[in-house]
């Protein structure tokens, strides 16, 4: 491995490593706008300039790579980089001044305020003064379809969004039009971002708040939000996401890139805009038995008196839930899996399976058999199984599967449904228990690629609503003798 020196600190890196990455691995922040690890390098913003010994001009660290060590002297220092020279400081201040020439001072109403790279770098590397006496260029904001709004006054022309639509999502809806001070990012005539199922990512990519999400625009100041690491339930892989929440309400889902995993930089719009369904409104649901509010003791008694119990677990819940639910079955052979939603594959690199049941593997590993509900129906109809416990989310079952589950509940002597909100299927069960949503509990899944992914509790569940493991433990418990 070649040796390089950064600000007089020696380190060994693989040949071909970007100087910017090498600096960051030493904890040295290199300001940058156009660079993004998942996009092609263009070196247009000039913010990442560094001093390299022996080179007459400053170099862009986002495109300069570490050369291999000479064969005859493998221990030689192949490159000396300085990020703290007066020339670098001057360059950064100069670039900031140019970038701010036309940028409006609308931070108080800008959605990006608080997570804006222009604000951060201006504060850290800018000059603090403006010599701009001329009138700034002005555009009105524009809708790029129903999901995305562009405010071109704020754009610094880093082209991350344009490269995303060309290199990642492939639709090429965005382009750079005009030249010089009239340069603007826009859509090709007649195109909008609506046809792009990954459009929301351009909002995350935009470092300065020029591209905003219609559903988040002017809704929340980001410094009030708390971010909790979680996963998306609406993908085959359980994409890592941040749940940004405040006041026990989720305000947005954002991708949570994992180190070294390029495919975790982006999420689909289906995943991104799924958050409202995890916000509760109205009163907390109550446990019911035969349609009337009931105590846990009454439900437990009815379940324990019913006879042999089979469980049906939908593979969209966590592994801990699967394990505890499985304990309710009279025997290991009576654990059945459900859930048959599919998600069309749009970007194969980012979605390796069309199966919309993200924890199918985790449930299978805990003895749940998928595709065997017909077999269970036969056992219920023959009287071999008397009671059925169903862990369910209606959004992940097709009409056909819902009908089959309905038949199962109808044929059993006793049925118990565990759901976040009561579905028609849940209401048809003999008993019903309210469970915490995935945003209200911590658990983990094993995705289709065999990766274990954890998620953490972001919201507080209403009083009386419990996690599946807690309900299962209480349903198994033997009531204390009076
Ligand atoms: S809209 Fe944002 S991401 Fe696109 S070029 Fe402008 S600053 Fe960059
Ligand atoms: S980040 Fe290197 S030139 Fe933009």
């Amino acid at each position: 491995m070649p040796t390089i020196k950064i600000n007089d600190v020696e380190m060994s890196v693989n040949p071909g490593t970007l100087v910017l990455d090498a600096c960051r691995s030493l904890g040295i922040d290199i300001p940058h706008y156009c660079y993004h690890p998942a996009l092609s390098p263009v070196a247009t913003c000039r913010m990442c300039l560094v001093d390299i010994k022996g080179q007459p001009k400053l170099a862009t660290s986002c495109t300069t790579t570490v050369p291999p060590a000479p064969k005859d002297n493998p221990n030689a220092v192949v490159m000396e980089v300085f990020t703290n020279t007066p020339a670098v400081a001057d360059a950064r201040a100069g670039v900031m001044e140019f970038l701010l020439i036309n940028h409006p001072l609308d931070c108080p109403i800008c959605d990006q305020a608080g997570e804006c790279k222009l604000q951060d770098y201006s504060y850290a590397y800018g000059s603090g003064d403006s010599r701009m006496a001329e009138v700034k260029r002005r555009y009105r904001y524009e809708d790029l379809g129903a999901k995305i709004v562009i405010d071109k006054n704020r754009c610094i022309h880093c082209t991350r969004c344009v490269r995303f639509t060309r290199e990642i999502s492939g639709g090429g809806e965005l382009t750079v039009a005009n030249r010089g001070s009239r340069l603007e990012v826009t859509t090709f005539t007649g195109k909008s971002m609506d046809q792009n199922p990954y459009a929301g990512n351009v909002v995350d990519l935009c470092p300065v708040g020029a591209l905003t999400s219609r559903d988040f625009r002017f809704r929340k100041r980001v410094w009030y939000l708390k971010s909790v690491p979680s996963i998306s339930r609406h993908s085959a892989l359980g994409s890592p996401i941040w749940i940004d929440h405040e006041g026990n309400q989720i305000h947005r889902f954002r991708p949570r890139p994992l180190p070294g995993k390029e495919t975790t930089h982006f999420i689909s719009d289906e995943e991104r805009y799924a958050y409202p369904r995890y916000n509760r409104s109205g009163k907390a649901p109550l446990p019911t038995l035969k349609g009337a509010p009931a105590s846990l003791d009454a439900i437990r008694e009815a379940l324990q008196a019913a006879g042999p119990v089979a469980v049906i677990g939908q593979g969209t819940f966590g592994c801990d839930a699967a394990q505890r639910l499985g304990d309710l079955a009279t025997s290991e052979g009576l654990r059945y899996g459900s859930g048959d939603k599919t998600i069309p594959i749009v970007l194969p690199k980012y979605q390796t399976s069309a199966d919309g049941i993200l924890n199918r593997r985790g449930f299978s590993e805990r003895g749940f058999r998928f595709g065997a509900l017909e077999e269970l129906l036969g056992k219920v109809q023959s009287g071999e199984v008397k009671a059925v416990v169903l862990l369910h989310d209606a959004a992940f079952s097709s009409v056909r599967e819902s009908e089959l589950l309905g038949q199962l509940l109808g044929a059993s002597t006793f049925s118990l449904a565990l759901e976040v909100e009561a579905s028609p299927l849940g209401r048809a069960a003999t008993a019903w228990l309210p469970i915490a949503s995935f945003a209200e509990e911590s658990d983990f899944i094993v995705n289709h690629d065999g990766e274990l992914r954890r998620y953490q509790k972001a919201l507080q569940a209403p009083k009386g609503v419990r996690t599946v493991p807690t309900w299962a433990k209480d349903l198994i418990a033997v009531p204390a003798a009076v």
Side-chain angles (χ1 to χ4, degrees):
M1 264 201 233
T3 304
I4 62 167
K5 266 190 186 178
I6 299 174
N7 296 344
D8 292 325
V9 177
E10 267 190 31
M11 70 180 298
S12 295
V13 291
N14 287 321
T17 303
L18 284 179
V19 170
L20 185 142
D21 288 335
C23 292
R24 289 165 100 192
S25 67
L26 273 186
I28 299 169
D29 183 35
I30 301 288
H32 59 275
Y33 291 112
C34 66
Y35 166 78
H36 188 281
L39 301 174
S40 62
V42 284
T44 52
C45 76
R46 319 306 286 178
M47 195 60 199
C48 67
L49 293 169
V50 292
D51 225 338
I52 298 178
K53 193 172 175 185
Q55 294 198 5
K57 291 188 197 167
L58 300 180
T60 49
S61 60
C62 69
T63 50
T64 307
T65 52
V66 175
K71 284 207 175 86
D72 55 346
N73 186 7
N75 295 324
V77 173
V78 294
M79 190 182 253
E80 276 193 63
V81 179
F82 298 93
T83 67
N84 51 8
T85 62
V88 171
D90 271 3
R92 288 174 181 171
V95 171
M96 283 310 304
E97 192 172 2
F98 273 121
L99 291 178
L100 291 169
I101 278 181
N102 274 307
H103 194 84
L105 197 58
D106 61 355
C107 306
I109 56 141
C110 177
D111 287 297
Q112 192 84 2
E115 53 187 11
C116 175
K117 288 294 173 202
L118 211 54
Q119 272 187 335
D120 295 348
Y121 294 160
S122 176
Y123 187 73
Y125 308 110
S127 72
D129 289 318
S130 171
R131 289 179 285 172
M132 176 76 174
E134 290 74 17
V135 176
K136 292 189 185 229
R137 179 199 61 186
R138 279 281 166 271
Y139 299 98
R140 277 191 64 78
Y141 74 85
E142 277 174 35
D143 293 328
L144 301 181
K147 295 181 274 190
I148 310 293
V149 180
I150 188 167
D151 190 329
K152 295 177 187 174
N153 297 324
R154 297 176 187 158
C155 177
I156 58 161
H157 311 131
C158 71
T159 73
R160 279 185 179 193
C161 56
V162 177
R163 281 175 284 149
F164 173 80
T165 62
R166 290 182 188 172
E167 298 167 11
I168 308 291
S169 62
E173 297 89 349
L174 293 176
T175 188
V176 177
N178 300 328
R179 288 288 177 269
S181 66
R182 306 313 300 178
L183 197 85
E184 61 182 288
V185 166
T186 184
T187 47
F188 280 102
T189 315
K191 280 208 174 190
S192 88
M193 297 292 288
D194 285 351
Q195 293 93 35
N196 188 331
Y198 280 74
N201 291 290
V202 297
V203 177
D204 305 327
L205 283 169
C206 183
V208 299
L211 289 162
T212 55
S213 184
R214 176 166 296 287
D215 79 320
F216 186 71
R217 202 170 151 81
F218 305 136
R219 294 272 160 85
K220 239 339 132 199
R221 304 310 296 184
V222 295
W223 48 87
Y224 292 127
L225 297 175
K226 289 178 197 70
S227 300
V228 172
S230 188
I231 55 165
S232 166
R233 269 181 98 210
H234 301 265
S235 70
L237 295 180
S239 316
I241 58 166
W242 290 110
I243 295 183
D244 289 343
H245 68 98
E246 197 254 338
N248 217 34
Q249 294 280 301
I250 300 174
H251 294 280
R252 63 179 179 180
F253 285 165
R254 283 180 299 133
R256 177 169 58 88
L258 300 178
K261 259 202 160 299
E262 202 190 296
T263 51
T264 55
H265 283 287
F266 308 115
I267 57 174
S268 69
D269 288 354
E270 181 170 348
E271 299 169 75
R272 183 181 299 273
Y273 298 120
Y275 72 89
R277 77 186 296 270
Y278 298 101
N279 286 331
R280 290 184 189 263
S281 57
K283 276 179 147 180
L286 293 170
T288 58
L289 181 63
K290 295 180 182 161
S295 67
L296 175 66
D297 286 344
I299 294 172
R300 178 177 46 220
E301 233 169 72
L303 176 67
Q304 291 181 352
V309 179
V311 295
I312 306 172
Q314 193 185 73
T316 58
F317 294 86
C319 288
D320 219 7
Q323 188 66 44
R324 301 297 168 188
L325 181 75
D327 293 345
L328 291 175
T330 303
S331 70
E332 285 196 9
L334 293 179
R335 295 176 185 174
Y336 294 85
S338 70
D340 60 355
K341 184 184 170 178
T342 53
I343 304 170
I345 296 179
V346 183
L347 301 178
K349 184 174 168 190
Y350 292 85
Q351 189 192 347
T352 53
S353 169
D355 188 353
I357 308 302
L358 79 166
N359 197 22
R360 195 182 291 280
R361 195 158 168 162
F363 271 70
S364 299
E365 286 172 1
R366 281 153 190 81
F368 286 76
R369 286 181 294 129
F370 288 85
L373 292 178
E374 304 270 3
E375 175 201 294
L376 176 60
L377 182 60
K379 286 187 179 178
V380 171
Q381 284 168 339
S382 70
E384 191 185 329
V385 170
K386 296 282 187 194
V388 171
V389 179
L390 174 72
L391 175 60
H392 186 61
D393 184 338
F396 296 88
S397 284
S398 65
V399 176
R400 206 192 133 270
E401 187 179 79
S402 301
E403 278 170 10
L404 187 53
L405 291 171
Q407 283 176 32
L408 270 160
L409 298 193
S412 57
T413 312
F414 178 85
S415 55
L416 166 64
L418 295 114
E419 291 180 314
V420 176
E421 298 286 345
S423 69
L425 196 66
R427 280 190 282 271
T430 323
W432 186 86
L433 287 174
I435 56 167
S437 75
F438 99 106
E440 294 164 345
E441 62 170 9
S442 300
D443 204 336
F444 66 98
I445 60 124
V446 182
N447 72 11
H448 289 271
D449 287 354
E451 291 169 307
L452 187 150
R453 290 195 172 164
R454 296 184 188 283
Y455 55 96
Q456 285 182 21
K457 175 177 169 172
L459 305 182
Q460 191 60 43
K463 201 160 176 262
V465 172
R466 302 189 201 173
T467 60
V468 175
T470 316
W471 281 129
K473 196 166 121 257
D474 288 344
L475 286 166
I476 290 172
V478 178
V482 184

